[in-house]
């Protein structure tokens, strides 16, 4: 991370955190994690399937400071990854994040920020599926995220919050057309109302802008949704929300002529598509759409764990255009005893490119991931996990599966908190 970024983002946060802090608790905690995993199909492609043994060594350090009104925490992690049979994939990653929150009477504000220099194989979440050909190469992605927020308690029953987020991802130069730089900004406001002791209502409106200059794509998303949360006896909680998404996408076009099947055609360099000259070629294409968004969940907490079931549908902009994601997930967790804990994560997702029924990117994605953790000593944690992924592309019926097993051990020395 360069010095300019540190001065412009991190330093003001640290200065704000130090104002009016006469006595606070602070911690400084180093740790080191080592893991070994095997993935049978790391790229999650139908063919060819490539399996790897991957070793990762992750030294890290975290620091925090807090008092009655303020809390500041930060973490820096260095990941060194080794691929046993393909040393060209060996890579170093650097991840830094900082979180700050402050409360003054009815007003509360905060800031979340991160800067990651990370591999494309790591930055694409494994539980959301992949695009065919997306990760066939590994490149570094520099990702900056900034998210300030503020909330105000209007009365005992009502509160309002305002949230802004900015994300920028820049990839190294590469030959993968799916890995292109983009900016994403979102501004949202939520009004919360405590209707009864067990019922909470909320109204959220948001707007976002997605820009991909490489593909000449600009997408504006505007959403509004109403939610209701109800608490049942015996620690049952249900939540449901519904709303609509209105999007406007502008796609710029740039052409150059080429020869295809002994004919003169025009190549759209923004979309990599071929066009015959049957009239004037458009400079910009505009698409609009209205889609449904919703979420329904139920959660049960008990003495030794919890379980939640969530179903949702949302629309988000991507490099290839607006995408509709429909998902259902089940995530139980159970504390066996003071030293043993277990978790299970299962999900089924449907991805569809909006307004493109036969897109090659439309796919179904399944994931199941159980894991168990053992606190061997107060300073040493050991974990064992398994992750199964399957993806089916709708237009070709091709499928891809991956089985990943991971063993992980973390050492974190127990350091006493100090008061200043």
């Amino acid at each position: 991370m360069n010095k300019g970024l540190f001065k412009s983002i991190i330093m003001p946060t640290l200065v704000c955190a130090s104002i009016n802090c006469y006595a606070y608790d602070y911690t400084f905690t180093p740790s080191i994690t080592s893991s070994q995993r095997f993935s049978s199909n790391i790229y999650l492609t139908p063919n060819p399937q490539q399996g790897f043994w991957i070793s990762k060594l992750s030294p890290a350090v975290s620091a925090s400071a807090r008092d009655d009104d303020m809390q500041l925490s930060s973490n820096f992690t260095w990941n060194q990854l080794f691929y046993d049979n393909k040393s060209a994939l060996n890579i170093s990653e650097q991840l830094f994040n900082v979180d700050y929150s402050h409360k003054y009477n009815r007003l509360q504000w905060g800031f979340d920020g991160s800067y990651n220099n990370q591999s494309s194989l790591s930055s694409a979440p494994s539980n959301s599926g992949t695009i065919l050909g997306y990760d066939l190469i590994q490149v570094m992605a520099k990702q900056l995220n900034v998210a300030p927020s503020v909330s105000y308690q209007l009365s005992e029953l009502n509160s309002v919050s305002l949230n802004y987020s900015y994300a920028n991802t820049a990839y190294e130069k590469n030959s993968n057309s799916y890995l292109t730089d983009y900016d994403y900004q979102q501004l949202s406001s939520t009004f919360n109302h405590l209707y009864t002791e067990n019922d909470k209502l909320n109204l959220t409106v948001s707007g976002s802008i997605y820009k991909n200059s490489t593909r000449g794509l600009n997408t504006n998303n505007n959403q509004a949704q109403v939610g209701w949360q109800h608490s049942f006896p015996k620690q049952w909680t249900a939540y449901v929300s519904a709303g609509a998404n209105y999007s406007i996408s502008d796609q710029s076009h740039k052409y150059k002529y080429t020869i295809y099947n002994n004919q003169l055609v025009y190549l759209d360099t923004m979309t990599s598509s071929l066009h015959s000259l049957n009239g004037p070629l458009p400079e910009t294409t505009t698409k609009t759409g209205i889609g449904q968004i919703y979420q329904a969940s139920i959660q049960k907490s008990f003495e030794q764990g919890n379980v939640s079931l969530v179903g949702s549908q949302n629309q988000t902009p991507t490099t290839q255009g607006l995408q509709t994601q429909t998902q259902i997930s089940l995530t139980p967790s159970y504390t066996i005893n003071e030293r043993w804990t277990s978790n299970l994560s299962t999900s089924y997702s449907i991805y569809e490119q909006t307004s493109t029924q036969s897109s090659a990117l439309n796919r179904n994605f399944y994931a199941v991931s159980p894991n168990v953790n053992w606190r061997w000593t107060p300073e040493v944690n050991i974990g064992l996990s398994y992750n199964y992924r399957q993806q089916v592309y709708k237009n070709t019926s091709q499928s891809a599966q991956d089985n990943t097993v991971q063993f992980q051990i973390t050492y974190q020395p127990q350091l006493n908190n100090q008061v200043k």
Side-chain angles (χ1 to χ4, degrees):
M1 182 173 61
N2 57 46
K3 294 181 179 179
L5 177 66
F6 183 84
K7 291 180 179 179
S8 61
I9 297 177
I10 308 307
M11 285 301 293
T13 303
L14 297 178
V15 171
C16 291
S18 63
I19 297 176
N20 296 327
C21 293
Y22 302 105
Y24 54 88
D25 299 332
Y26 67 91
T27 62
F28 181 83
T29 308
S31 65
I32 185 167
T33 300
S34 176
S35 66
Q36 182 76 35
R37 78 178 189 267
F38 175 78
S39 175
S40 64
N41 185 8
I42 191 171
Y43 299 120
L44 197 61
T45 54
N47 194 27
Q49 298 186 13
Q50 299 186 42
F52 291 95
W53 280 101
I54 307 164
S55 303
K56 183 166 73 170
L57 188 64
S58 303
V61 59
S62 61
S64 67
R66 63 183 300 171
D67 64 7
D68 293 339
D69 300 319
M70 178 278 302
Q71 181 170 336
L72 172 69
S73 61
S74 63
N75 178 270
F76 176 76
T77 302
W78 182 292
N79 292 329
Q80 189 69 44
L81 292 96
F82 304 93
Y83 293 76
D84 69 326
N85 54 349
K86 195 170 184 179
S87 59
L89 291 177
N90 294 350
I91 209 161
S92 298
E93 301 177 332
Q94 299 81 40
L95 295 81
F96 176 79
N97 67 75
V98 59
D99 300 323
Y100 172 70
S101 64
H102 196 104
K103 185 176 182 180
Y104 179 75
N105 294 332
R106 296 183 177 185
L107 182 65
Q108 182 172 342
W109 64 91
F111 170 88
D112 295 337
S114 66
Y115 182 79
N116 299 330
N117 184 33
Q118 201 170 11
S119 159
S120 60
L121 286 178
S122 302
S123 58
S126 62
N127 62 345
S128 65
T130 59
I131 296 174
L132 182 62
Y134 182 88
D135 279 327
L136 293 181
I137 60 174
Q138 176 171 249
V139 298
M140 295 302 292
K142 291 179 170 58
Q143 300 172 312
L144 171 66
N145 294 274
V146 179
S149 62
V150 61
S151 62
Y152 185 75
Q153 191 73 34
L154 300 171
S155 65
E156 293 183 359
L157 302 180
N158 301 309
S159 66
V160 63
S161 63
L162 185 67
N163 299 272
Y164 171 79
S165 63
Y166 171 79
N168 173 271
T169 297
Y171 293 96
E172 289 181 338
K173 291 183 178 180
N174 65 90
S175 59
N176 193 323
S177 62
Y178 293 108
L179 299 178
T180 54
D181 303 352
Y182 66 88
D183 291 326
Y184 182 76
Q185 299 181 69
Q186 184 179 55
L187 180 66
S188 65
S189 179
T190 301
F191 175 76
N192 299 284
H193 174 65
L194 184 62
Y195 185 66
T196 69
E197 184 179 351
N198 297 320
D199 296 279
K200 298 178 182 179
L201 304 176
N202 63 71
L203 170 64
T204 300
V205 293
S206 66
S208 65
I209 301 174
Y210 174 90
K211 292 185 177 181
N212 189 310
S213 57
T214 304
R215 306 189 72 86
L217 180 64
N218 293 334
T219 301
N220 294 337
N221 259 13
N222 300 283
Q223 296 185 351
Q225 55 184 324
V226 178
W228 168 50
Q229 178 180 299
H230 180 75
S231 299
F232 295 92
K234 299 183 179 180
Q235 296 182 309
W236 284 92
T237 302
Y239 177 79
V240 60
S241 68
N245 177 75
Y246 176 69
S247 65
I248 303 175
S249 295
D250 294 326
Q251 175 78 63
S252 300
H253 302 279
K254 293 182 180 179
Y255 305 95
K256 66 178 182 180
Y257 72 87
T258 185
I259 303 298
Y260 181 74
N261 287 340
N262 296 321
Q263 292 184 351
L264 179 66
V265 296
Y266 285 84
L267 172 67
D268 188 338
T269 59
M270 292 295 193
T271 62
S272 300
S273 57
L274 296 174
H275 301 268
S276 59
L277 186 57
N278 295 322
L281 296 172
E283 295 183 1
T284 304
T285 301
T286 300
K287 294 181 180 179
T288 62
I290 298 178
Q292 298 178 350
I293 57 176
Y294 59 81
Q295 179 177 326
S297 65
I298 187 166
Q299 180 174 338
K300 164 66 174 176
S301 299
F302 45 94
E303 185 178 355
Q304 291 183 268
N306 61 76
V307 59
S308 65
L309 177 65
V310 181
S312 65
Q313 178 173 290
N314 200 9
Q315 291 187 324
T316 55
T318 69
T319 301
Q320 304 303 310
L322 195 65
Q323 177 178 261
T324 300
Q325 176 185 354
T326 306
Q327 184 181 70
I328 185 170
S329 62
L330 176 67
T331 54
S333 64
Y334 182 72
T335 301
I336 302 170
N337 54 41
E338 293 182 354
R339 290 191 173 186
W340 289 88
T341 59
S342 62
N343 298 275
L344 174 65
S345 176
T346 63
S347 64
Y348 169 64
S349 303
I350 301 173
Y351 296 91
E352 293 180 336
Q353 297 302 115
T354 304
S355 74
T356 309
Q357 298 297 327
S358 60
S359 172
L361 307 181
N362 293 347
R363 61 201 189 277
N364 296 343
F365 179 75
Y366 313 78
V368 179
S369 181
N371 67 79
V372 61
N373 293 278
W374 176 40
R375 181 177 289 275
W376 183 21
T377 71
E379 296 181 332
V380 179
N381 283 282
I382 297 176
L384 180 65
S385 63
Y386 167 74
N387 186 23
Y388 172 78
R389 301 181 297 162
Q390 180 179 6
Q391 186 161 251
V392 180
Y393 299 92
K394 292 184 178 180
N395 66 328
T396 63
S397 297
Q398 285 186 307
S399 64
Q401 299 84 30
D402 171 56
N403 294 274
T404 300
V405 179
Q406 176 171 290
F407 174 79
Q408 177 174 296
I409 182 168
T410 301
Y411 172 71
Q412 186 178 71
Q414 299 295 298
L415 303 179
N416 293 328
N417 295 358
Q418 300 186 32
V419 179
K420 181 177 180 180

